[in-house]
Amino acid sequence: MSSHSHPVTDATATRPVEFKIWRGDAKGGAFEQYTAQVTGGMVVLDCIHQVQAEQAPDLACRWNCKAGKCGSCSAEINGKPSLMCMTRMDTLPADQPVTVEPLRAFPSIRDLVTDVSWNYEVKKKIVPFKPREPDRPDGTWTVFQEDVERVQEFRKCIECFLCQDVCHVLRDHHKHDEFIGPRFLVYTAALEMHPLDTADRIADLKERDGIGYCNIGKCCTKVCPESITITDNAIIPLKERVVDEFYDPITRLLRIFRPK
Amino acid sequence: MTRAPLPLPQAPGFLETRRIDRWWIQPTLVFLGFGAFIVYSTWAALQGNNYFTGGPTHPGAQQLLSPFYSPVLWDAAGLHSGHAWFGQQPAWWPSYLLFSPALFILPFPGLFRFTCYYYRGAYYKAFWGDPSNCGVGEPGFRGTKYRGEQKLPLILQNAHRYALYIAILFIGILGYDAWVSLWSIDAEGAKHFGISVGSLVLTMNVVLLGSYTFGCHCWRHLIGGRQDCFSCHKHQHAAWKRVSWLNQRHMLFAWMSLFWVGFSDVYVRLCSMGIWTDWRIVG
């Protein structure tokens, strides 16, 4: 999902840019046209705020940090799930209107705001971190950097749910009852690969969490604003752990002889 | 997770998207690339001839063997490649069935690529539109009936590691072929060392195939990724890091090795037919 680059050389120059912003709620809606005056350095969220301030004070939009860290301003910009605060206007084609619409994988509340509470319900059901007995009497453990390095990548997640939005299993097939989505596969990987964790989530991954629905399109990886290698580093290694446990007769046989 | 259905917006229609970039280029190139390879490799496998140079029938030439035909279990009738494990086409082979040594070989690397994690993601998009690209609508008939790799038939993709085991055996065999390609046999049966362009082609073939095979996601898991405590398994951690380097370039090596293995067959075939000359560089 590449972007077109049209660098603005003069930071003080202003140019009008046409926007098509989706207005509506769960019952339906339509795109409405607005014009924003864009200067160098502006991001899409700046334009939405400008439209809100000058043309449509009732335009609903969720935002918070404006720094790409809170994950609130997720939307679809020119069809690409993106953070509005991290999408610079000079990366979008200047000669066509910019389309901004809410995430499609979640129910609409109003305008650009969607109800993402399904994600919080999913998270509650994942078996939580269960550390082994402490290494020392003072209740502490020794953990080496090489052991947690892999997990640290997953901890960068800001829960913007762009990966959930672009995943076709949720977006196109509406498998919300059978599939937890890339965000929570990353979350499970962070727990499952943690060197101190003793809980087993592999059976859940196979059945309840529906990891097999992922067909490795890597769209989640492409839209992640934190550049987490979701598919290669989290989902596929988890799929392989499921294979170890349920589909590989050799590893199943070896487990019988492995010392407990 | 059973609960009242979410009031979701209607799923986009087939190829419906608000993307304005040329999202169709990538799946089209993948379709054409895979399609061309499938057509050529099938044609080459069905030929049953021109799969080697050198050996008893071409004294003095470097011994090149097409990777599509390696290992040769039985030579096709009337051919003596010098590579066959069990001699000529077996007598029990039904006369009404086409015989080609490649038919015993190609299904295995084919299966490895078919079940490969990279290729799966690529051909689901390019051939099945599942989805055609990120954020692009799918054919409506699939809808909520989508099964992915959760159920049959695609749940069988979980057997990829078994295809990997066979692919690793093939890397050894192709490495041996690259070694054999450094030798020619004269009319008296004496061996002579030499390096030809064909030797380099077959050596590059095994290097690229090895880089692809040992960057496999399954291999990355089996070699060390399955461990949670890397400090407890230092050798596995070291191996995992090296395989991870290859794994990050898995797509690159998948394409390079696919092209090169096809080119290797073309090279050996044209040399065997006398259209190209296998120039000797050393020896």
Side-chain angles (χ1 to χ4, degrees):
Chain A
M1 303 185 95
S2 62
S3 308
H4 301 259
S5 184
H6 296 270
V8 173
T9 46
D10 182 359
T12 58
T14 302
R15 62 183 169 98
V17 174
E18 210 173 285
F19 275 78
K20 286 160 89 177
I21 303 173
W22 195 87
R23 305 295 310 270
D25 55 25
K27 295 189 198 93
F31 282 98
E32 287 186 19
Q33 215 151 308
Y34 301 93
T35 303
Q37 297 301 321
V38 176
T39 50
M42 279 178 75
V43 294
V44 170
L45 184 60
D46 293 327
C47 299
I48 294 294
H49 283 160
Q50 196 185 92
V51 168
Q52 216 176 27
E54 297 171 3
Q55 299 166 63
D58 60 340
L59 171 63
C61 138
R62 186 188 281 132
W63 69 285
N64 196 342
C65 75
K66 210 170 172 267
K69 288 296 164 198
C70 73
S72 303
C73 64
S74 301
E76 298 196 4
I77 301 166
N78 286 344
K80 179 188 173 188
S82 317
L83 294 179
M84 288 194 283
C85 71
M86 299 303 286
T87 306
R88 289 176 63 106
M89 288 303 297
D90 57 14
T91 63
L92 303 174
D95 54 347
Q96 341 186 11
V98 177
T99 307
V100 186
E101 59 189 311
L103 305 180
R104 293 193 70 137
F106 304 109
S108 168
I109 294 178
R110 189 176 146 176
D111 301 338
L112 300 179
V113 180
T114 49
D115 175 7
V116 293
S117 60
W118 171 82
N119 293 286
Y120 309 131
E121 298 303 316
V122 169
K123 194 173 192 176
K124 282 181 203 163
K125 290 174 183 162
I126 294 171
V127 176
F129 183 60
K130 187 182 168 200
R132 67 173 188 239
E133 288 296 308
D135 296 342
R136 282 179 294 277
D138 64 357
T140 59
W141 294 268
T142 300
V143 179
F144 293 96
Q145 177 58 29
E146 66 222 60
D147 292 331
V148 285
E149 224 154 46
R150 194 166 38 160
V151 170
Q152 281 170 337
E153 182 191 9
F154 308 144
R155 299 287 295 266
K156 291 193 298 179
C157 176
I158 58 171
E159 297 207 324
C160 59
F161 304 127
L162 292 177
C163 58
Q164 304 285 72
D165 180 54
V166 80
C167 176
H168 73 126
V169 183
L170 302 173
R171 180 192 184 88
D172 293 80
H173 303 299
H174 295 172
K175 288 279 183 189
H176 295 69
D177 283 342
E178 298 170 68
F179 181 60
I180 61 174
R183 159 58 195 137
F184 297 106
L185 292 173
V186 167
Y187 179 67
T188 307
L191 297 169
E192 199 58 29
M193 296 179 190
H194 197 288
L196 297 186
D197 183 70
T198 57
D200 186 353
R201 302 166 190 83
I202 302 299
D204 284 348
L205 279 170
K206 175 178 174 275
E207 297 296 340
R208 189 194 63 190
D209 302 343
I211 193 171
Y213 282 116
C214 168
N215 71 349
I216 329 151
K218 298 197 181 186
C219 296
C220 48
T221 304
K222 286 177 189 158
V223 301
C224 179
E226 285 292 318
S227 303
I228 302 171
T229 316
I230 298 173
T231 318
D232 291 309
N233 288 352
I235 300 179
I236 295 176
L238 288 180
K239 274 179 172 262
E240 284 300 307
R241 289 178 183 219
V242 170
V243 174
D244 279 348
E245 196 79 22
F246 294 100
Y247 299 118
D248 183 349
I250 293 180
T251 51
R252 292 191 75 164
L253 192 68
L254 289 175
R255 248 197 322 275
I256 297 172
F257 300 106
R258 195 183 299 156
K260 298 281 179 202
Chain B
M1 279 184 282
T2 305
R3 46 183 279 169
L6 291 172
L8 296 166
Q10 194 183 353
F14 184 39
L15 301 183
E16 184 189 333
T17 184
R18 265 182 271 280
R19 285 180 65 169
I20 54 175
D21 58 339
R22 294 181 190 147
W23 59 264
W24 44 269
I25 289 180
Q26 191 185 19
T28 305
L29 288 177
V30 169
F31 180 84
L32 293 175
F34 289 174
F37 183 82
I38 291 166
V39 169
Y40 175 74
S41 59
T42 306
W43 175 84
L46 293 174
Q47 297 311 298
N49 57 23
N50 297 315
Y51 55 87
F52 64 94
T53 65
T57 44
H58 304 99
Q62 298 295 116
Q63 302 180 92
L64 307 180
L65 175 63
S66 162
F68 285 180
Y69 285 73
S70 178
V72 181
L73 300 183
W74 295 279
D75 267 327
L79 296 178
H80 297 276
S81 67
H83 295 273
W85 290 6
F86 306 116
Q88 291 276 296
Q89 175 180 338
W92 48 260
W93 188 261
S95 56
Y96 53 85
L97 271 186
L98 177 83
F99 181 88
S100 168
L103 297 179
F104 301 99
I105 304 307
L106 272 187
F108 296 104
L111 195 66
F112 180 56
R113 290 196 188 248
F114 184 80
T115 57
C116 162
Y117 280 106
Y118 162 67
Y119 281 115
R120 273 144 72 177
Y123 69 72
Y124 291 150
K125 283 193 182 112
F127 284 76
W128 301 356
D130 196 12
S132 299
N133 209 329
C134 307
V136 178
E138 296 193 22
F141 66 85
R142 232 174 257 134
T144 52
K145 287 180 282 188
Y146 170 77
R147 301 161 73 88
E149 299 178 349
Q150 183 78 357
K151 296 167 185 169
L152 280 169
L154 293 178
I155 199 172
L156 295 173
Q157 302 276 31
N158 287 311
H160 180 50
R161 60 180 60 175
Y162 286 92
L164 166 70
Y165 301 147
I166 300 170
I168 291 173
L169 282 179
F170 274 64
I171 295 300
I173 292 166
L174 292 172
Y176 176 73
D177 289 345
W179 168 251
V180 169
S181 76
L182 300 175
W183 302 87
S184 59
I185 300 174
D186 64 21
E188 281 77 46
K191 278 187 174 180
H192 301 279
F193 178 79
I195 299 174
S196 69
V197 174
S199 316
L200 298 181
V201 168
L202 293 190
T203 304
M204 179 59 88
N205 180 54
V206 76
V207 168
L208 290 175
L209 281 174
S211 302
Y212 166 60
T213 303
F214 292 111
C216 165
H217 290 85
C218 277
W219 184 242
R220 185 179 182 225
H221 169 75
L222 294 165
I223 206 76
R226 63 201 170 90
Q227 302 294 352
D228 292 336
C229 179
F230 279 147
S231 61
C232 318
H233 303 87
K234 289 193 182 298
H235 294 302
Q236 289 190 44
H237 183 217
W240 176 80
K241 282 202 287 189
R242 283 171 179 79
V243 172
S244 295
W245 188 90
L246 285 174
N247 183 256
Q248 285 161 14
R249 293 153 184 82
H250 201 42
M251 180 180 83
L252 175 72
F253 286 122
W255 280 104
M256 287 176 72
S257 63
L258 189 78
F259 171 79
W260 202 263
V261 75
F263 173 71
S264 301
D265 180 83
V266 170
Y267 187 87
V268 174
R269 185 168 297 282
L270 293 181
C271 289
S272 175
M273 293 167 78
I275 296 171
W276 281 1
T277 303
D278 182 29
W279 296 106
R280 196 167 295 176
I281 302 163
V282 176

